[in-house]
Amino acid sequence: MSAKKLFIQTLGCAMNVRDSEHIIAELTQKENYSLTEDIQEADLILINTCSVREKPVHKLFSEVGAFKKLKKNGAKIGVCGCTASHLGAEIFKKAPYVDFVLGARNVSKITQAIKIPKFLGTDLNYDESDFAFKDFRNSIYKAYINISIGCDKHCTYCIVPHTRGDEISIPFAIIFNEAKKAVSKGAKEIFLLGQNVNNYGKKFKNEHKKMDFSDLLEELSQIEGLERIRFTSPHPLHMDDKFLHTFSQNPKICKCIHMPLQSGSNEILKTMKRGYTKEWYLDRALKLRSLCKNLSISTDIIVAFPGESQRDFEESLEMIEKVRFEQIFSFKYSKRPLTKAALMDNQIPEEIASKRLEILQNRHYEILDEIVKKQENQIFEVLFEELRADGEIAGRTDNNFLVQIKGSEEFLGQMKQVKITNARRMVLYGEVV
Ligand code: 5AD
Ligand code: SF4
């Protein structure tokens, strides 16, 4: 029987990318689907959605509208992911041609969802932490691996606890086997995923040996043939000394870390319910910089959270001067349903939010240009992962700079020493030495 065709579009974060890989694995290996990039020939069209800010939610409805026009007769449309979780049946009301809705944390139900008309799978308490998903990866060289599901921090701006439910850790044996299998198939790097990775081990579904995130990193680093370990996102609150020690001392752990700051004002951090002060954050960031040579620190910053004064905003700018982040993901605060901050009455006008975002991004770019310039003539070890146009190939340094050189397939999956000849803001150009 010839395979049915699956078209899947993924919005949002790395966790969503991994959820899509799980969906593809289940459908191709259990239900005789094969992937297509041509929506018009697809028998099943899926969109894996994000709801962290308002924009991607609008995108969902414009995209499914377009799918409806393009799809062939009889093709099904499924809405998966975070927006599916929190809008649930409302999606059927707004877009009646949608065949099923499958929330994040319910991914393992995909094989049922495609068979049951108007299937709705959005149970936030559903625990698939020990589900043995079939195997599919977009990249041979870099393997995404989930280590925990959900988050129960309830930061006051954040919808994620309402889309991915409470935090639960995935058993060590599943993670370890997945990592070993990926490495045996050619992966050089594993990328551990979770909403608060360094809270790993607080709660498992069943009895489990005691284990924290640092222990997990140590165990995984023993895998022979594995060269690099990355992870996202750690929470600054859980960066204890043991974690700092493991991170800085273990040579397989890449020296780049995402430390979501959100705000540089203690007042705002408190109303956000982040659980740390700017002093704690700075202490951790600077300690890490002193322990690791060539460390890159990336961050997330929200501007114009309700009640953010000009002074609060300036404190975020001061943190940029002090930490000198290599990368900043900056966002205007976006009001999200089901969150405490959405009910706060001191929302900031859009013009002020836009202005603050612009100021913050411009200052970051100035600092980044200085950082990037310093990389010229330096030599880095680069893992090449991706072919680019015009006979170029791209990869990343241990500390996460994107590097591009002249080269072809033979470099894929290889680690090479590269000297940087021309450092640009978004990419460092170089040559193999
Ligand atoms: N508004 C703006 N940005 C948000 N983020 C999460 N929720 C919101 C929101 N309501 C940002 C945070 C988080 C990143 C993934 O998205 O900075 O770390
Ligand atoms: Fe990822 Fe959060 Fe978006 Fe869900 S809402 S896809 S967890 S960024």
Side-chain angles (χ1 to χ4, degrees):
M1 194 171 65
S2 73
K4 294 166 280 182
K5 301 278 189 203
L6 163 67
F7 174 93
I8 183 162
Q9 186 184 351
T10 308
L11 311 173
C13 65
M15 301 214 64
N16 253 23
V17 172
R18 184 63 184 141
D19 287 346
S20 286
E21 289 181 342
H22 281 150
I23 289 172
I24 294 167
E26 291 293 294
L27 291 179
T28 54
Q29 291 171 51
K30 291 184 182 163
E31 299 292 335
N32 195 32
Y33 277 91
S34 72
L35 273 177
T36 178
E37 291 187 2
D38 177 0
I39 195 164
Q40 286 173 315
E41 68 161 14
D43 300 282
L44 176 60
I45 300 168
L46 299 181
I47 181 161
N48 199 3
T49 57
C50 172
S51 51
V52 76
R53 282 168 292 277
E54 203 178 355
K55 238 193 214 160
V57 177
H58 289 312
K59 187 157 176 164
L60 158 65
F61 288 104
S62 62
E63 290 294 277
V64 286
F67 292 167
K68 179 178 176 264
K69 290 196 189 113
L70 289 170
K71 82 181 181 95
K72 71 178 185 190
N73 242 344
K76 284 188 178 157
I77 299 178
V79 175
C80 310
C82 286
T83 311
S85 288
H86 83 94
L87 289 186
E90 213 179 298
I91 294 174
F92 292 134
K93 275 197 210 138
K94 273 197 176 166
Y97 45 85
V98 167
D99 293 283
F100 64 87
V101 170
L102 184 70
R105 205 191 176 95
N106 288 260
V107 179
S108 57
K109 298 178 189 164
I110 183 69
T111 49
Q112 298 167 51
I114 57 168
K115 290 173 199 144
I116 301 171
K118 297 287 169 192
F119 181 90
L120 179 67
T122 54
D123 179 1
L124 275 191
N125 296 313
Y126 190 65
D127 187 345
E128 55 184 9
S129 63
D130 59 357
F131 186 84
F133 282 101
K134 292 281 180 191
D135 195 22
F136 172 84
R137 298 189 178 282
N138 292 313
S139 162
I140 308 171
Y141 315 111
K142 172 158 75 186
Y144 284 127
I145 298 179
N146 288 347
I147 68 161
S148 62
I149 299 174
C151 174
D152 32 38
K153 287 271 180 289
H154 289 275
C155 299
T156 54
Y157 52 82
C158 188
I159 196 170
V160 171
H162 305 279
T163 68
R164 290 189 176 266
D166 281 350
E167 185 175 307
I168 184 128
S169 297
I170 291 175
F172 170 70
I174 292 184
I175 300 171
F176 190 75
N177 288 338
E178 221 184 295
K180 258 176 77 173
K181 191 166 171 189
V183 171
S184 74
K185 287 184 169 178
K188 295 274 166 38
E189 177 176 314
I190 55 171
F191 205 127
L192 308 177
L193 300 175
Q195 235 66 53
N196 282 309
V197 283
N198 53 343
N199 202 29
Y200 180 79
K202 287 280 152 55
K203 193 173 138 209
F204 291 99
K205 182 176 182 179
N206 298 312
E207 191 110 339
H208 194 284
K209 69 172 170 179
K210 200 169 154 31
M211 189 168 212
D212 65 14
F213 185 55
S214 303
D215 303 331
L216 175 69
L217 290 171
E218 291 290 6
E219 295 265 5
L220 291 172
S221 72
Q222 310 288 328
I223 296 175
E224 226 171 286
L226 174 65
E227 311 235 13
R228 289 177 164 184
I229 303 176
R230 298 187 197 274
F231 50 84
T232 201
S233 287
H235 195 297
L237 178 65
H238 303 300
M239 291 192 176
D240 56 17
D241 289 341
K242 180 179 175 188
F243 169 75
L244 263 49
H245 179 81
T246 306
F247 179 86
S248 58
Q249 298 307 309
N250 190 313
K252 288 195 182 174
I253 301 175
C254 290
K255 298 302 174 269
C256 64
I257 190 154
H258 189 61
M259 292 182 64
L261 169 65
Q262 312 301 1
S263 168
S265 150
N266 282 340
E267 272 304 295
I268 297 293
L269 287 172
K270 205 164 167 197
T271 18
M272 285 177 162
K273 221 172 140 248
R274 290 292 289 167
Y276 54 83
T277 59
K278 66 174 175 185
E279 289 80 13
W280 166 260
Y281 183 98
L282 205 54
D283 174 76
R284 298 290 96 180
L286 299 185
K287 217 163 246 166
L288 276 172
R289 284 236 194 262
S290 73
L291 289 169
C292 313
K293 195 170 140 261
N294 274 337
L295 176 72
S296 286
I297 305 182
S298 58
T299 198
D300 293 339
I301 297 180
I302 298 175
V303 300
F305 180 81
E308 184 188 72
S309 66
Q310 179 62 20
R311 180 66 204 127
D312 292 322
F313 170 62
E314 283 163 8
E315 289 189 83
S316 292
L317 292 176
E318 283 163 19
M319 289 296 274
I320 294 183
E321 300 300 328
K322 288 180 177 149
V323 183
R324 293 179 66 85
F325 297 103
E326 276 73 12
Q327 195 174 20
I328 301 183
F329 300 92
S330 47
F331 313 102
K332 280 188 268 188
Y333 166 74
S334 168
K335 208 172 176 178
R336 307 306 298 121
L338 308 170
T339 62
K340 281 211 172 117
L343 304 173
M344 294 177 184
D345 54 12
N346 40 9
Q347 306 282 326
I348 306 290
E350 161 62 30
E351 319 81 73
I352 296 182
S354 295
K355 191 75 211 154
R356 287 183 184 166
L357 188 68
E358 190 189 334
I359 292 170
L360 188 138
Q361 288 178 339
N362 286 342
R363 182 57 194 136
H364 166 59
Y365 284 141
E366 285 170 6
I367 294 174
L368 183 59
D369 285 342
E370 289 168 19
I371 293 173
V372 156
K373 209 71 211 147
K374 288 196 187 132
Q375 312 308 317
E376 277 184 1
N377 296 317
Q378 294 219 44
I379 294 174
F380 291 102
E381 187 161 59
V382 178
L383 170 60
F384 287 98
E385 295 161 54
E386 201 187 321
L387 283 172
R388 291 288 166 99
D390 305 326
E392 302 247 317
I393 185 150
R396 292 203 175 256
T397 64
D398 169 284
N399 60 354
N400 212 30
F401 283 114
L402 185 67
V403 173
Q404 205 162 306
I405 62 163
K406 286 256 169 274
S408 54
E409 284 92 350
E410 84 249 29
F411 286 101
L412 282 177
Q414 302 276 319
M415 306 268 269
K416 297 272 179 207
Q417 298 286 324
V418 175
K419 183 172 177 181
I420 304 307
T421 49
N422 178 11
R424 312 299 293 266
R425 194 183 283 169
M426 295 305 169
V427 45
L428 311 180
Y429 294 93
E431 53 201 35
V432 174
V433 289

